[in-house]
Amino acid sequence: MATIDVFNYNVPAESDFGYSQAIKSGELIHVSGQLSFDEAGEFLYADDFAAQLKQTYANMDKVLDHYGATRNQIVSQTLYVVNLRQNAAATAEGNLGYFGDHRPASTVLGVTELTLPGQVIEISFIIDTKLPA
């Protein structure tokens, strides 16, 4: 029987929208879209793509740390980017910097808006804990 492990930051949005940051079922961890927020759930860096991307990756690391996983175990990611053409180079640079030589499957979607005013990036991903760390 598979066990389920749910991870939350305990920020208001989780109860307001009825979701978890991540859920582990068996060896896979499905992670909700991460964005630029702090430990209190406050959105940071409105309209600043570079700063939001950096904070979003830091929040991704918090999920990995919770599960004892590494970036090398991320098998898939989906990036939602406002003004994709304008932010394409920064998206690629950030992705290469975050993953190094690791190459997960990746989908990048240009969107007109995200949930919060001034939000320009959100990243969801899947981790396979059977892979080498």
Side-chain angles (χ1 to χ4, degrees), residues 70-123:
T70 71
R71 297 172 187 182
N72 290 332
Q73 293 170 302
I74 295 175
V75 294
S76 176
Q77 67 173 343
T78 303
L79 296 88
Y80 304 89
V81 180
V82 175
N83 296 322
L84 180 56
R85 287 189 182 110
Q86 175 184 335
N87 293 312
T91 301
E93 183 179 326
N95 196 62
L96 289 167
Y98 185 75
F99 285 107
D101 292 332
H102 180 57
R103 298 290 185 262
S106 183
T107 300
V108 181
L109 301 166
V111 298
T112 56
E113 65 181 3
L114 291 164
T115 304
L116 302 172
Q119 182 185 355
V120 292
I121 182 77
E122 186 164 327
I123 305 173

Side-chain angles (χ1 to χ4, degrees), residues 2-24:
T3 60
I4 295 177
D5 178 6
V6 175
F7 172 68
N8 287 306
Y9 292 119
N10 298 315
V11 296
E14 294 164 347
S15 59
D16 292 348
F17 285 93
Y19 74 98
S20 294
Q21 296 295 328
I23 185 166
K24 181 178 181 187

Side-chain angles (χ1 to χ4, degrees), residues 11-13 34-49 51-53 55-56 59 114-122:
V11 296
Q34 298 298 293
L35 54 120
S36 180
F37 60 87
D38 64 15
E39 292 78 18
E42 295 296 319
F43 177 65
L44 304 171
Y45 314 117
D47 297 313
D48 184 336
F49 187 84
Q52 283 188 40
L53 186 60
Q55 183 64 45
T56 299
N59 289 342
L114 291 164
T115 304
L116 302 172
Q119 182 185 355
V120 292
I121 182 77
E122 186 164 327

